[in-house]
Amino acid sequence: MKHSTNVLMHTLFISDLHLSPVRPDITQCFSQFMRTEARQADALYVLGDLFDFWIGDDDPTPFAQQIKSEFQQLTASGVPCFFIHGNRDFLIGQRFAKETGVTLLEQETVIDLYGTPTVILHGDTLCIEDVRYLAFRAKVHKPWLQWIFNRLPYVLKKRIVKRVQSDIRSDKEQKTMAIMDVTPSEVLQVMKKHHVDLMIHGHTHRPAIHHLMESDNKVRIVLGDWYSQGSILSYSPQGYKLESRSL
Ligand code: LP5
Ligand code: MN
């Protein structure tokens, strides 16, 4: 870990940036973040949905190159960087990791945050009432399907995703907000399974610090999306805060 003498120890968490070439304002805010405050951190964790869509590490576009370069420069400067897949960029693979110096973590990972064991995850798997999504997820996470998909030419993959996307969109429009939020019993179960009192996740785009009803010492921190502002969790041994940055 990198420790600066003049900046307090802290670790940064971000998620749900949904970076895409059609939102240069978000990309700009992200680049600025990576080149300035991220450089001062002990580590950066990206908890999924960094990209609006990532259909493979063979993405040849200058946009993909630009984002990879930001990570490469950050890790080269000595800041360890970790990534957990989201539901939109679960196809980020080892080639991306190698090119950027980013370490890919398991879906649910326990980290030691200055002495506090903490479970980190994207958050989609906590929404267990969203059964149609979970069925979709199980399908696209099948290793054999991904194996085949990863071997298709980039342009063909783009065409397939475009077709699947419109079916998905109309299905999502029929869901209620409650279905698309986390299920409290599942949150508690995951925290108990990992023997932790702190959980950090994204996905729901409902930034908040929740003190669990069932147990007064358990806390769930939800990261915000980057749709209309940058959203960052800064965690230090002295405390933590959810912050925003204007686009
Ligand atoms: O991200 P958000 O908030 O918009 O919505 C999510 C859920 N949606 C998704 C879909 C992604 O946006 C699209 C990901 C595409 C990536 C490339 C895939 C390439 C295929 C790879 C093959 C190996 O994750 C949404 C949730 C919401 O979060 C809240 O939790 O509700 O879920 C859905 O809307 C999913 C639908 O309910 C399922 C509809 C099934 C349609 C049939 C598709 C056919 C499957 C083909 C498989 C190859
Ligand atoms: Mn998500």
Side-chain angles (χ1 to χ4, degrees):
M1 282 210 181
K2 192 179 101 164
H3 290 145
S4 175
T5 45
N6 53 358
V7 183
L8 287 176
M9 288 161 73
H10 66 292
T11 295
L12 298 174
F13 296 84
I14 56 175
S15 73
D16 304 284
L17 291 86
H18 291 224
L19 296 175
S20 92
V22 302
R23 287 294 305 268
D25 52 340
I26 304 176
T27 306
Q28 168 61 31
C29 186
F30 167 72
S31 295
Q32 173 80 4
F33 163 77
M34 293 294 272
R35 292 173 192 192
T36 55
E37 51 190 309
R39 298 278 173 110
Q40 310 297 323
D42 294 329
L44 171 67
Y45 287 86
V46 182
L47 303 189
D49 287 359
L50 170 70
F51 293 102
D52 206 29
F53 290 104
W54 185 261
I55 62 176
D57 290 356
D58 56 341
D59 187 332
T61 61
F63 170 74
Q65 196 46 52
Q66 183 190 351
I67 306 304
K68 283 191 282 189
S69 162
E70 297 294 352
F71 280 102
Q72 197 277 327
Q73 290 174 58
L74 183 65
T75 57
S77 80
V79 180
C81 211
F82 303 92
F83 181 82
I84 290 185
H85 290 123
N87 55 295
R88 289 165 168 269
D89 49 17
F90 58 88
L91 290 173
I92 284 183
Q94 286 307 328
R95 179 169 157 193
F96 181 96
K98 211 169 158 200
E99 287 173 4
T100 56
V102 166
T103 302
L104 303 183
L105 300 177
E106 288 300 315
Q107 206 43 238
E108 281 172 19
T109 297
V110 176
I111 58 168
D112 176 357
L113 257 185
Y114 309 104
T116 303
T118 306
V119 66
I120 55 173
L121 66 167
H122 178 56
D124 53 335
T125 50
L126 298 169
C127 307
I128 59 169
E129 282 166 57
D130 197 345
V131 287
R132 285 204 302 278
Y133 166 66
L134 290 176
F136 167 78
R137 186 182 191 279
K139 253 182 235 155
V140 296
H141 276 259
K142 286 205 189 311
W144 65 266
L145 188 61
Q146 291 191 3
W147 191 90
I148 295 171
F149 191 80
N150 283 333
R151 275 151 189 82
L152 300 176
Y154 184 75
V155 282
L156 178 59
K157 292 194 287 186
K158 244 183 121 169
R159 235 182 290 155
I160 294 172
V161 168
K162 212 168 174 193
R163 199 170 289 179
V164 172
Q165 240 177 299
S166 57
D167 298 359
I168 294 174
R169 202 170 300 132
S170 54
D171 192 71
K172 189 184 162 191
E173 278 161 11
Q174 296 161 20
K175 293 180 193 174
T176 64
M177 290 299 274
I179 281 180
M180 293 190 287
D181 202 357
V182 303
T183 302
S185 59
E186 184 64 14
V187 169
L188 198 59
Q189 203 196 306
V190 171
M191 289 174 89
K192 280 184 177 161
K193 179 172 82 185
H194 294 289
H195 309 287
V196 299
D197 287 335
L198 181 61
M199 170 185 275
I200 304 173
H201 71 83
H203 182 65
T204 60
H205 301 200
R206 300 177 214 201
I209 294 167
H210 297 279
H211 293 265
L212 267 59
M213 300 286 223
E214 300 85 347
S215 152
D216 28 78
N217 55 355
K218 283 191 166 33
V219 176
R220 174 172 70 98
I221 306 177
V222 188
L223 307 177
D225 63 67
W226 284 49
Y227 194 74
S228 49
Q229 74 283 302
S231 302
I232 301 155
L233 168 69
S234 176
Y235 189 104
S236 79
Q238 289 75 34
Y240 51 85
K241 48 188 183 303
L242 282 166
E243 298 172 350
S244 59
R245 302 282 177 271
S246 49
L247 290 183

